Amino acid sequence: MRQSIRLGSIAGIPVGLNWGLLLIAAFYVFNLAAGILPLSVPGASTTTYWIASTVAVVFFFGSILAHELGHALVAQRNGIKVNAITLWLLGGVAQLDSEPDSAGAEFRIAIAGPAVSVALAALFGAIWFVASPLIGGTVLSFVLGYLAIVNGVLAVFNMLPAAPLDGGRVLAAALWWRSGNRHTARASAARAGQLVGSMILGLGVVFFLTGQGSIFTIILGWFIRSGATHERRRAQRLDRVSTSDLASAMQPLVAPINRGITVSGLEAMSASYDQPIAFPLSGPTGVSGIVSSTAVHTTRPSERHVTFIDDLVVPWEDFTSARVGEDMSVIVDRARAADKHHVIVYDLMGRQVGYVSLVGFLSAAAG
Ligand SMILES: [Zn+2]
């Protein structure tokens, strides 16, 4: 994530901290040390309040990190690479390199974070309870109680059944498991996220206007709603991609041509076909790339007879391969992972039969 400070790495996962979080942390420490703590546990020194507040907030952010590590480690165990964990304004994010390939994996990864938070709430609560005869009514007892409560709140809040929150992912996993369609499942969970986000946003505005709440609730509601809107659009797009057919996205490959042909020459050769087609380009060592009949339009009509096709050729290095009958969403995922924008399609006999431009395909699917 942008503007983050690298803290180190855990289990091979880089851990970073967003600058804005330092401001929030300072605000929390101030709030505790100069307000809540002296009111709740009077009689201690100012230094004690500040040290205890700093420790409490550091452990609070440590708890958020542990929550994210829960997601990250379970993701790793399910064969998914974790690119980074970043702590930021509204909590943390574990950035996964790819998506879970089963409803079960989606469920395990989603539930792991809240499970860690519940465990931490229980741990701090148990220590607080057991030690209370010794430390009851002290600043230390307050800090333990505080950590038990914030971890409990973290678990409960994240389990709201509203994507992009963890509870929304659990809901999506359940719907996916039942229906077999991961994209429509995610779209439904994101729809719930839009509703819950709007409700939090609305309540935040009411509380803010009546002087009972901070602007934080409004920001939180807005964040959930916009995250959910983004997820819902993405899920709907992927669903369209998944159900669209490779065969209809594919331009058939025709006979190979040589370099040195002008764009207007290519235009003339494509004219007899009633659909876009793609020409393999012969080079000294076999086929060296593909040129599509649709690429003609990138050259101005007045210049087509003096421009050679060489600039329109997509070289082999830019291709990923696919098999006839493969699911389009799988092909798109694979091309994205390899950072390729063009697909060459093979038939069951291993012959090259078609070409797909992913840019063209995705913009058509998005429309
Ligand atoms: Zn989480």
Side-chain angles (χ1 to χ4, degrees), residues 67-68 71 113-114 158 166:
H67 173 112
E68 295 307 324
H71 290 304
N158 273 292
D166 297 331

Side-chain angles (χ1 to χ4, degrees), residues 11 66 77 112 163 178 193 271 309 311 322 341 346 349 351 355:
R77 202 175 309 158
R178 229 183 56 178
I309 57 168
D311 290 341
H341 302 96
Y346 290 85
M349 315 290 284
R351 289 173 303 211
Y355 163 71

Side-chain angles (χ1 to χ4, degrees), residues 156-218:
V156 169
F157 173 73
N158 273 292
M159 280 309 288
L160 285 177
L165 299 176
D166 297 331
R169 307 220 183 281
V170 169
L171 174 65
L175 295 172
W176 176 7
W177 179 72
R178 229 183 56 178
S179 72
N181 186 329
R182 73 157 84 180
H183 304 305
T184 52
R186 283 191 184 155
S188 304
R191 173 101 188 92
Q194 286 179 312
L195 280 171
V196 169
S198 298
M199 276 161 58
I200 294 175
L201 182 68
L203 284 175
V205 170
V206 171
F207 286 150
F208 186 70
L209 291 179
T210 54
Q212 297 169 66
S214 70
I215 196 153
F216 182 77
T217 315
I218 300 177

